[in-house]
Amino acid sequence: MQQAAGRSRPIPSLRRSQSRLTADSYCIHRIIEDPEWSLAAVPQLTELCLQHIVHNFTQNPILDRLLPEHQRKVLDRLPTDLPLAVTANLVSDEDYWKRCCTERWQVCDISGYGDSWKRMFFERHLENILKSFVPNTTDPNQVLELIPLCKDYVRKLEVDQFLPPLKVDPEEEADDISDSGSDLGLGEVPIHHYDLGALVTALPYLEELHLTYGVKDCGMNFEWNLFKFTYQDCCNLAGAVKKCHKLKVFKLTRSNVDDDKTKLLVRSLLDHPSLLALNLSHNLIGDTGAQAVGKLINRSKLETLDLCNNKIHHAGAQALAQALAQNCTLTSLNLRLNYLGDEGGEAMGRALLANTTLKSIHLGSNMLSEPSAVLLSQVLAQNATLTSINLSCNHIGPDGGKQLLEGLAGNKTLTEFDLRLAEVGQENEFLIGQMLWANRHATRLAPQPQPPAEPL
Amino acid sequence: MRRGAGAEEAPRGQAPTPAPIPIPTPISAPQDPDSDPDPGPGPEERIAARRRRIAARLDAKRRQALGEDEEPKEEVEEEEEERRSHKEVEESQQRLAKLLFEGTQMVTNIQVAADSRETQRRAEEAELKQQRLKKLENEAKSSAYEFEKIASKWALAEDVTVPQELWQLLNQQQQQCALLLEEKNKLIGELQQELKNKDEQYVQAMKKQSDDIHLLLERMEEQIRIMLKTYRHKLHHIEKAFEFERRELLDSNRKKWEEAIQAHNTKELEYLHARMRKVEEFEKQLNQLRVQDEEEYNSMKIQLENDVQNLERQLQQTKAAYLLNQEKLEYNLLVLKKQDEENTIIRSQQKRKINRLHSSLNNLRTKLDKQEKQFREENQSLAADCERITGQCKEVQKRMRHFAASDAEKFTELWLMNEEEAKRLMRKALDADRIIHTQQLGLPWEQPRHWFLNNIGPLRRCKAKRMATKLAAEVLAESSCGGEEEKAKEEEKEKEEVGFGEGGKENIAKAEKEDVSDRERRKESTAKAGDRVTPLPNISKKTTKRILELLSDESGFLIERKLLRPLRALGKHERTLLRLDSIFSALEINSEDELQRLVDFFLKCKAQEEPLSQGSPSGEDVTDLGEDRAGSEAGARSAELKPPQGPLGSLPSACIHADDVLRILKAFVRGFDKPREKTRAAKEALQVRDSSEDGEYWEALAHVIPETTLKLWDALLVALEEYYNVLTRRAGLLAELAELQQQNLELCLMLERCSTSGVSLGSLQTGDTEL
């Protein structure tokens, strides 16, 4: 009875409220009697708010406090030309950075940047700034301001051009290019490139440094000065590299690095805690430079060394070979396009007899001939770690080819053996190729006997 | 010039020889003649070889599997079947790898070609450079020579004074200078030409490089295209193969499944039929059972009704009996109630009585306690008295012993004094005898040998107790020697007896023993010569020996450890002896008596075990002897031991079993202490000696000179007296003679004096002769 009474009471109140509601809706209904009106056309308040946030993102960057779906929407709408100071440390969304990258550059391959669009954006942005940096004219703060923004994301720096400082002499500019170049080179104070020291030491995660001291696309404005890598530059670079403790890969190519500069660089790289790969290809390194590099091999953790297209003769090769015989970290060595000759080739062969870590060696275009082949055949018979040898463009001759074939007969590890243009004769080359196929097959089967069973 | 020497990477000059690699068109890419010198048989051969290798590998695997377990052979077969897809994968993998290799080979061919061109160019460049340098040097040399020539002429010009000549000379000089300059210019022109050539070459090289790069790109694209195509193709193939396999597998599985389902259905149907049949059967059975049960029920009902009637009847009967019984019981109840009342009265009476008795009992108890106390006190006083008395007794005994000892001492002193005197006298007599014999009779005299001659002190009646071990040794030795030796011993004894009179070499103990035994033997008429020697007279020698041997064998545990080793080295007899010695020392058996008791004990135990009535008369003698000995030597032997002695001696010695030895020994040791105490006390009291033989001794001393000698002495006395008379007479005569001779002499003197006168002499002489 009471319950029934209790129930009966709220009902009238409900009715009362309903009646009030109907009264209100009646008023609204009156306002929009337009039959074409529909609720879908009215933007929601959240939408409007988000729009506002996006418009005023520079002044008031609110992102963290939004709900996830709203964050998503904001990020999708953010313009890509926002100042980096706002976005750099706030936005970590990959899609946004992807938009930034694709708008700025046509070709974007993030596989080289650890699959991170943000990293790619910052690295390339920094690289662009460095490439267009002109000493004494460009404000160095342009770089320094960027450091706090990008220091957490930059792992690799790949700068293939360093502009020299501008020379302010219109007369000479008008003169014959060659003359002015010669005059400039002799007369003016040495011109230095941008000093990487301040930048490199401020990047805590820098692991790779690829540098080329030169000017790209100079066209008819060619001057020797544009490609000058001064001693001062080298000193600066050496100091910067020395302070960069996380550096793993260091490339300095096509920069006219001669023996003295090599020595200077090597001195700063001795006992580097993390350096794994060193590339000094396409330079002017001679025998003394090679000797310095040989010293470096055994006083670092180097695994890859590229010295291709230098001027290393037999003396340098012997120094390298000596270092190689004692080394146990180096796995790859490239000496393409040098002047080793048979003397250097034999020294290398002897070193390979003792070495047990090197996996790949490139001795192409080194004026090697039969004596080197004899020694290398011994290496092939004894060494069980080498997987790749390149002897292309040498004058080994058919007899040397036969020797190599004999040496290869007992080898089970070698999978690549390049003898193109080595004049070893078609028969030898064919037989060697067959042996290599066998070895390749064996190595392919050996480490993975399981996978064929999986599809079952 | 500068550009030519520049370190440009791209090869500048096109090599004069044709390009080392004839670059093939991209369409014919897969069969690049340079990278693959023998393209025709290559792939097929390689594939075949690869297949062969795979087959061999599989074979080896299968063999290995067979070696390990035989069963999975079938599985291997199945796998073989299934591996078609794998083969497909493998094959495509090979093909793709080859394709990839060839493609990269082709792409890198361009680089290699460029490299080789570069090296060639470098070599040529170096050569050209050298030539150029040489040329320049030559030119410099020749021009320097020319210049010197010109310069030397300048000096000559200074000497020339004639203007025409000077002009001429100057002209000449000018011409020569022009020549020199021309040559230089020519050289410069040549070099510039070369530079231009180089520029052209550079341009060509650039072009070549761009061509190369284009080619490279083309090839790469081609490569990518081909690879994509083949990958897709292969993927398709592999997928097809897999799908095919899957379909097959599905088909077979479905087939199997359907078969199984069908089988299952038929079985289910069968089961259903069987079930129906069974249901019908059971219904039939049920009906049958129902009919049967109904019949049974009816019969049972009738029976039960009958039973009910019977039971009702019985119930009525029992009801009647119940009524009867009830009356009886009521009566009984009344009787019992009355009895109960009586009983209560009696019980109260009894209770009273019990109380009374209890009080009396308590009184008596108190009395008893009192009395007990009294008696205990009495007992204590009496015990104290007893103790006192025993103490007194002991003191008296001690005193007595002391007196006895002093008496004995005195006695011995007296004895010694008297004996000394007697001996002196005897010696005197003997001396006299000797003198008589040697001097008077002229006969050889011999020292008489008598036992008593050497005796000093009182005669000891009791034979010195031989040590137990000695006794045992004797027993053993004798018994081991056997009967013959016994006889021999007997003879020896007799001999000794005979020789008694002759020498006193033997020690006193032995002599005494012999003497005693001799006397005993004499005393006993029975011929117990053999037994005489045995120390234990009442027990046969053999038995004793047997017992002793048993002891030595069985009680080895009593022997000291360190003794055992040296024992082994000895002979059997000695070993037994030594063992016995140590056993006796362990059992504290020292004297003959104790040993005897031990043997007796043994025999007794035996006898108790086998209570045979062996009181045979043959044992009497032994008993007599034993008693005699016991009486004379060890009178303290306890009376308990005596009775069984007789029969014991004749017991067969072998009766004692080796196993019993220990038990008997234990019992003996337990009972040994008591008798020993007794014996010790008795021994002291028994120091009293009997003087029965003293007289004899003294007699003997007195009669040291035998009767015959005395008689001889008497006769000698008579004869000597006679001889004395003769001699006295003769002495008288001699004196007479001497007197006469004196007279004669005097007469002679007188005669002479007379003769001097002459006449008187003759007359005198005649008177003399007449005298």
Side-chain angles (χ1 to χ4, degrees):
Chain A
M1 289 274 279
Q2 278 182 347
Q3 277 177 353
R7 272 177 203 163
S8 62
R9 260 173 223 161
I11 294 165
S13 66
L14 259 175
R15 272 177 194 158
R16 244 174 270 148
S17 69
Q18 269 177 344
S19 64
R20 221 181 290 146
L21 265 173
T22 45
D24 291 347
S25 60
Y26 181 66
C27 291
I28 293 159
H29 204 247
R30 265 197 306 181
I31 294 164
I32 33 168
E33 275 181 325
D34 187 4
E36 287 172 15
W37 182 89
S38 90
L39 201 66
V42 180
Q44 289 184 343
L45 186 59
T46 49
E47 282 293 307
L48 293 171
C49 290
L50 291 177
Q51 198 105 36
H52 190 74
I53 288 172
V54 169
H55 281 309
N56 297 304
F57 201 78
T58 323
Q59 286 83 36
N60 189 12
I62 309 166
L63 192 65
D64 295 339
R65 280 168 282 170
L66 298 178
L67 291 171
E69 69 257 34
H70 300 155
Q71 267 186 19
R72 183 77 257 146
K73 276 175 186 165
V74 170
L75 286 173
D76 285 345
R77 281 181 221 171
L78 273 183
T80 54
D81 54 356
L82 284 173
L84 281 175
V86 177
T87 53
N89 292 317
L90 188 65
V91 181
S92 58
D93 183 57
E94 283 291 293
D95 285 342
Y96 172 74
W97 294 111
K98 186 179 175 183
R99 276 193 294 136
C100 291
C101 288
T102 44
E103 267 174 42
R104 199 160 162 190
W105 299 292
Q106 285 183 336
V107 183
C108 295
D109 179 16
I110 57 164
S111 65
Y113 299 89
D115 292 332
S116 163
W117 288 99
K118 192 172 184 181
R119 184 182 150 194
M120 174 172 161
F121 180 83
F122 278 106
E123 284 181 6
R124 288 181 79 161
H125 182 63
L126 192 59
E127 279 160 19
N128 281 352
I129 288 175
L130 287 178
K131 275 182 201 170
S132 57
F133 189 94
V134 182
N136 302 335
T137 37
T138 317
D139 182 15
N141 283 332
Q142 198 182 349
V143 180
L144 296 178
E145 275 166 10
L146 199 61
I147 286 173
L149 305 178
C150 67
K151 67 176 181 184
D152 289 337
Y153 315 108
V154 175
R155 304 276 159 95
K156 183 171 90 173
L157 264 185
E158 200 167 351
V159 188
D160 55 359
Q161 124 164 329
F162 277 97
L163 294 177
L166 272 183
K167 40 190 190 296
V168 230
D169 205 340
E171 294 169 27
E172 302 211 10
E173 191 85 63
D175 269 322
D176 185 23
I177 296 162
S178 60
D179 283 357
S180 70
S182 66
D183 286 348
L184 270 175
L186 294 170
E188 280 195 5
V189 280
I191 40 168
H192 306 307
H193 295 92
Y194 175 67
D195 180 10
L196 280 171
L199 174 66
V200 163
T201 48
L203 298 173
Y205 300 111
L206 192 70
E207 286 175 355
E208 291 189 37
L209 193 57
H210 300 192
L211 303 175
T212 302
Y213 281 83
V215 181
K216 280 174 95 178
D217 301 326
C218 58
M220 293 310 278
N221 295 327
F222 174 83
E223 279 177 36
W224 282 112
N225 253 338
L226 299 180
F227 298 91
K228 185 145 190 178
F229 177 50
T230 64
Y231 195 75
Q232 185 61 40
D233 284 336
C234 189
C235 283
N236 292 340
L237 184 62
V241 168
K242 192 169 189 176
K243 282 176 202 156
C244 192
H245 295 297
K246 290 227 171 161
L247 195 68
K248 284 182 182 166
V249 182
F250 181 51
K251 287 190 186 174
L252 183 60
T253 55
R254 285 184 282 137
S255 300
N256 292 337
V257 181
D258 55 20
D259 284 344
D260 292 338
K261 288 167 191 160
T262 315
K263 277 192 217 163
L264 188 63
L265 282 174
V266 163
R267 210 174 302 142
S268 67
L269 286 174
L270 281 180
D271 300 321
H272 195 276
S274 57
L275 193 72
L276 295 179
L278 179 65
N279 188 342
L280 293 173
S281 56
H282 309 297
N283 281 311
L284 301 172
I285 300 171
D287 284 340
T288 44
Q291 280 160 2
V293 174
K295 191 178 165 192
L296 176 66
I297 287 176
N298 279 331
R299 284 192 55 183
S300 65
K301 297 175 180 173
L302 271 187
E303 287 177 4
T304 313
L305 180 62
D306 195 342
L307 289 173
C308 92
N309 196 13
N310 278 298
K311 294 184 173 174
I312 300 170
H313 291 262
H314 61 85
Q318 276 162 352
L320 283 174
Q322 206 175 344
L324 196 62
Q326 297 163 3
N327 187 270
C328 57
T329 53
L330 204 67
T331 57
S332 167
L333 178 63
N334 192 340
L335 289 173
R336 187 168 70 96
L337 277 172
N338 277 299
Y339 304 91
L340 298 192
D342 274 328
E343 222 168 311
E346 279 170 332
M348 276 308 195
R350 273 191 286 279
L352 287 177
L353 281 174
N355 187 291
T356 54
T357 48
L358 199 71
K359 285 181 179 167
S360 155
I361 187 164
H362 197 316
L363 293 173
S365 315
N366 262 314
M367 301 190 297
L368 305 180
S369 60
E370 206 177 318
S372 304
V374 172
L375 212 64
L376 278 172
S377 79
Q378 280 182 29
V379 171
L380 287 176
Q382 280 191 23
N383 196 308
T385 46
L386 269 178
T387 56
S388 162
I389 300 179
N390 196 329
L391 290 177
S392 57
C393 305
N394 285 307
H395 309 287
I396 287 166
D399 290 338
K402 221 167 265 174
Q403 289 276 0
L404 288 174
L405 186 62
E406 282 168 19
L408 193 61
N411 195 303
K412 294 272 175 262
T413 50
L414 199 72
T415 53
E416 280 174 45
F417 194 16
D418 199 336
L419 284 172
R420 281 175 291 180
L421 297 182
E423 301 158 19
V424 291
Q426 283 200 348
E427 194 187 347
N428 288 336
E429 207 171 337
F430 173 67
L431 290 173
I432 285 170
Q434 282 207 331
M435 282 178 186
L436 291 181
W437 270 111
N439 283 353
R440 233 170 280 172
H441 185 74
T443 48
R444 192 157 57 86
L445 279 186
Q448 27 169 277
Q450 276 308 99
E454 270 174 26
L456 282 175
Chain B
M1 266 298 266
R2 258 183 289 136
R3 271 190 203 175
E8 289 291 304
E9 194 199 353
R12 186 168 288 186
Q14 178 73 41
T17 48
I21 300 175
I23 295 151
T25 50
I27 294 113
S28 67
Q31 269 83 34
D32 189 9
D34 246 324
S35 61
D36 197 353
D38 197 3
E44 278 79 16
E45 258 184 25
R46 276 178 215 163
I47 288 162
R50 175 84 45 97
R51 272 184 194 151
R52 250 175 278 133
R53 274 202 296 279
I54 290 163
R57 196 184 298 273
L58 285 173
D59 226 346
K61 251 187 202 167
R62 207 180 306 146
R63 239 171 279 139
Q64 205 177 2
L66 272 176
E68 280 168 19
D69 41 1
E70 302 286 324
E71 42 187 80
K73 196 173 180 181
E74 229 176 3
E75 283 179 19
V76 169
E77 265 341 6
E78 274 177 28
E79 271 180 41
E80 199 67 11
E81 198 65 46
E82 278 182 63
R83 272 198 189 148
R84 204 156 38 174
S85 53
H86 293 167
K87 259 186 212 164
E88 190 80 28
V89 171
E90 182 78 11
E91 207 176 305
S92 53
Q93 225 167 15
Q94 281 168 35
R95 269 197 76 83
L96 287 172
K98 194 162 143 7
L99 209 63
L100 203 65
F101 175 74
E102 276 165 7
T104 44
Q105 197 90 338
M106 211 171 68
V107 172
T108 48
N109 268 342
I110 294 167
Q111 192 206 357
V112 171
D115 275 358
S116 83
R117 266 202 304 276
E118 169 67 9
T119 44
Q120 214 154 12
R121 187 197 64 78
R122 278 184 187 182
E124 278 166 21
E125 194 65 30
E127 210 173 306
L128 279 177
K129 206 172 174 182
Q130 226 165 4
Q131 277 179 13
R132 209 175 296 131
L133 275 174
K134 215 187 238 174
K135 206 167 156 189
L136 278 173
E137 248 172 56
N138 285 343
E139 203 278 333
K141 240 185 241 171
S142 64
S143 58
Y145 177 68
E146 290 283 319
F147 182 71
E148 244 170 60
K149 235 176 162 181
I150 295 164
S152 62
K153 278 202 181 159
W154 287 125
L156 207 112
E158 276 185 17
D159 298 341
V160 177
T161 47
V162 184
Q164 282 90 351
E165 275 179 11
L166 193 64
W167 181 76
Q168 224 169 14
L169 194 74
L170 278 174
N171 264 354
Q172 254 179 4
Q173 285 288 61
Q174 210 167 8
Q175 273 175 3
Q176 272 174 346
C177 279
L179 263 173
L180 196 68
L181 276 175
E182 207 174 314
E183 256 176 51
K184 289 270 179 197
N185 276 337
K186 213 166 89 188
L187 193 69
I188 286 166
E190 273 174 23
L191 285 176
Q192 269 178 348
Q193 188 61 39
E194 250 176 64
L195 189 63
K196 218 174 254 174
N197 283 345
K198 279 280 170 202
D199 270 342
E200 270 169 32
Q201 275 179 8
Y202 175 68
V203 172
Q204 273 180 355
M206 288 289 270
K207 221 187 256 170
K208 177 83 181 103
Q209 198 184 11
S210 68
D211 280 354
D212 274 357
I213 286 165
H214 279 299
L215 190 65
L216 196 68
L217 285 175
E218 242 169 65
R219 280 189 186 185
M220 277 159 86
E221 269 165 25
E222 181 74 11
Q223 165 88 353
I224 286 162
R225 208 151 25 82
I226 290 170
M227 287 309 288
L228 266 177
K229 215 167 80 185
T230 39
Y231 267 119
R232 233 170 250 144
H233 189 67
K234 287 291 160 193
L235 195 67
H236 187 63
H237 267 287
I238 291 165
E239 264 181 7
K240 249 189 197 169
F242 270 119
E243 254 173 38
F244 181 70
E245 255 183 35
R246 184 163 159 277
R247 215 177 302 131
E248 270 189 353
L249 206 68
L250 270 176
D251 280 350
S252 66
N253 281 354
R254 197 174 291 139
K255 219 180 273 170
K256 263 190 210 163
W257 175 247
E258 274 168 9
E259 274 173 21
I261 285 268
Q262 228 162 13
H264 182 253
N265 280 342
T266 51
K267 259 190 190 168
E268 198 76 4
L269 213 67
E270 271 174 32
Y271 286 147
L272 199 69
H273 282 305
R275 196 182 134 82
M276 297 269 266
R277 236 178 291 133
K278 264 186 189 167
V279 165
E280 277 171 21
E281 253 174 53
F282 286 146
E283 261 178 16
K284 245 183 240 169
Q285 277 181 4
L286 267 176
N287 278 335
Q288 260 182 7
L289 280 173
R290 214 171 282 152
V291 171
Q292 260 182 11
D293 284 356
E294 239 167 71
E295 281 169 14
E296 267 178 31
Y297 171 73
N298 283 335
S299 63
M300 190 78 110
K301 202 177 174 186
I302 292 161
Q303 205 185 325
L304 285 173
E305 274 169 0
N306 287 344
D307 282 359
V308 166
Q309 282 174 1
N310 285 341
L311 285 171
E312 270 175 3
R313 223 175 294 141
Q314 275 180 5
L315 184 70
Q316 277 175 357
Q317 279 175 3
T318 44
K319 260 184 188 167
Y322 164 73
L323 279 174
L324 213 109
N325 280 342
Q326 202 177 14
E327 274 173 24
K328 263 189 212 168
L329 284 172
E330 270 169 11
Y331 174 72
N332 279 350
L333 185 69
L334 282 176
V335 172
L336 281 173
K337 266 179 187 168
K338 264 177 198 168
Q339 275 185 355
D340 193 38
E341 279 166 22
E342 279 172 23
N343 280 346
T344 48
I345 294 162
I346 291 168
R347 206 183 296 145
S348 59
Q349 280 175 355
Q350 292 287 357
K351 261 181 193 167
R352 247 171 280 139
K353 214 187 249 175
I354 283 168
N355 284 338
R356 228 183 304 135
L357 284 173
H358 261 295
S359 59
S360 66
L361 180 68
N362 282 340
N363 285 343
L364 284 172
R365 255 185 205 152
T366 48
K367 253 185 216 169
L368 178 69
D369 283 347
K370 262 182 211 165
Q371 275 190 341
E372 267 182 1
K373 214 183 270 172
Q374 201 182 328
F375 282 131
R376 212 176 293 136
E377 276 165 16
E378 261 177 52
N379 189 20
Q380 275 177 358
S381 64
L382 284 175
D385 280 355
C386 181
E387 240 171 66
R388 193 165 36 82
I389 287 161
T390 46
Q392 280 171 356
C393 179
K394 265 183 195 166
E395 212 169 296
V396 167
Q397 271 179 355
K398 212 194 279 172
R399 229 178 280 158
M400 194 185 77
R401 232 173 284 140
H402 171 71
F403 284 133
S406 61
D407 281 353
E409 218 169 288
K410 250 182 219 167
F411 172 73
T412 41
E413 272 170 22
L414 257 177
W415 177 289
L416 281 174
M417 196 181 69
N418 286 334
E419 197 182 43
E420 210 174 312
E421 207 177 328
K423 284 261 177 74
R424 196 168 36 81
L425 289 173
M426 192 181 67
R427 230 168 279 134
K428 210 175 170 185
L430 284 173
D431 277 345
D433 188 30
R434 183 173 48 88
I435 290 164
I436 287 164
H437 269 79
T438 49
Q439 293 181 6
Q440 297 303 317
L441 298 178
L443 289 170
W445 188 79
E446 272 178 39
Q447 183 86 24
R449 284 191 192 99
H450 292 297
W451 59 273
F452 50 81
L453 283 181
N454 293 321
N455 184 41
I456 298 166
L459 276 177
R460 254 158 288 166
R461 257 330 91 204
C462 41
K463 187 170 73 179
K465 296 271 167 107
R466 277 165 295 172
M467 291 307 282
T469 42
K470 215 186 261 172
L471 192 73
E474 275 168 30
V475 169
L476 286 171
E478 276 161 27
S479 51
S480 66
C481 288
E484 257 183 74
E485 225 167 272
E486 267 178 291
K487 270 178 205 166
K489 242 180 213 171
E490 239 176 283
E491 283 164 17
E492 208 175 84
K493 292 278 146 66
E494 277 163 2
K495 259 186 224 163
E496 276 174 5
E497 258 177 272
V498 172
F500 253 8
E502 288 158 15
K505 283 174 204 165
E506 285 144 72
N507 56 30
I508 306 159
K510 179 144 191 196
E512 199 179 348
K513 180 189 124 195
E514 293 298 339
D515 187 46
V516 168
S517 59
D518 194 22
R519 227 172 295 143
E520 273 169 2
R521 199 163 57 113
R522 236 178 283 147
K523 223 187 275 174
E524 280 137 25
S525 54
T526 44
K528 283 284 162 188
D531 278 347
R532 170 188 56 110
V533 193
T534 40
L536 311 170
N538 50 348
I539 297 153
S540 83
K541 219 166 41 190
K542 265 188 188 167
T543 321
T544 320
K545 189 205 166 198
R546 165 79 181 147
I547 289 167
L548 288 177
E549 275 174 358
L550 268 174
L551 253 183
S552 78
D553 289 345
E554 291 301 319
S555 9
F557 61 89
L558 291 169
I559 302 166
E560 278 178 75
R561 259 310 130 73
K562 55 190 177 182
L563 265 176
L564 284 172
R565 189 162 298 172
L567 273 182
R568 250 168 255 155
L570 296 169
K572 190 206 167 195
H573 183 64
E574 286 158 319
R575 205 187 315 159
T576 326
L577 263 183
L578 275 170
R579 271 193 193 172
L580 275 175
D581 187 21
S582 55
I583 291 165
F584 287 158
S585 67
L587 290 174
E588 291 179 17
I589 292 174
N590 293 323
S591 64
E592 190 184 352
D593 274 357
E594 283 160 357
L595 175 62
Q596 195 173 353
R597 229 171 35 235
L598 173 68
V599 175
D600 284 350
F601 195 81
F602 263 88
L603 292 173
K604 197 177 80 187
C605 286
K606 204 70 221 168
Q608 276 170 355
E609 277 168 25
E610 299 172 41
L612 296 169
S613 59
Q614 282 208 348
S616 57
S618 62
E620 283 296 356
D621 293 359
V622 189
T623 322
D624 285 353
L625 180 66
E627 273 175 35
D628 209 3
R629 292 286 296 238
S632 63
E633 292 170 10
R637 190 182 297 145
S638 54
E640 316 153 28
L641 290 174
K642 263 183 192 171
Q645 269 173 9
L648 282 178
S650 57
L651 270 179
S653 54
C655 278
I656 297 167
H657 197 269
D659 293 346
D660 298 332
V661 172
L662 269 185
R663 192 171 44 76
I664 294 169
L665 256 185
K666 217 187 272 177
F668 174 72
V669 172
R670 223 177 287 135
F672 187 50
D673 286 339
K674 275 184 276 171
R676 197 186 294 199
E677 288 299 317
K678 273 187 206 165
T679 2
R680 210 167 285 157
K683 245 185 213 163
E684 282 172 22
L686 264 172
Q687 289 300 328
V688 184
R689 54 189 300 283
D690 85 316
S691 51
S692 60
E693 284 173 23
D694 289 357
E696 211 176 317
Y697 173 63
W698 292 119
E699 201 85 352
L701 271 186
H703 290 96
V704 75
I705 309 293
E707 285 295 327
T708 47
T709 329
L710 283 180
K711 270 182 198 164
L712 183 73
W713 282 6
D714 284 344
L716 190 64
L717 185 70
V718 175
L720 278 177
E721 267 171 16
E722 273 176 36
Y723 183 48
Y724 177 70
N725 289 340
V726 173
L727 281 179
T728 47
R729 235 182 309 150
R730 210 171 149 186
L733 287 173
L734 276 175
E736 220 174 311
L737 179 65
E739 213 179 314
L740 286 171
Q741 272 175 348
Q742 186 77 33
Q743 282 173 354
N744 202 12
L745 264 176
E746 279 169 16
L747 284 171
C748 274
L749 281 172
M750 274 179 350
L751 192 64
E752 252 180 65
R753 248 177 275 151
C754 290
S755 62
T756 44
S757 48
V759 180
S760 59
L761 192 76
S763 64
L764 225 161
Q765 257 177 344
T766 49
D768 211 24
T769 43
E770 282 172 38
L771 273 171

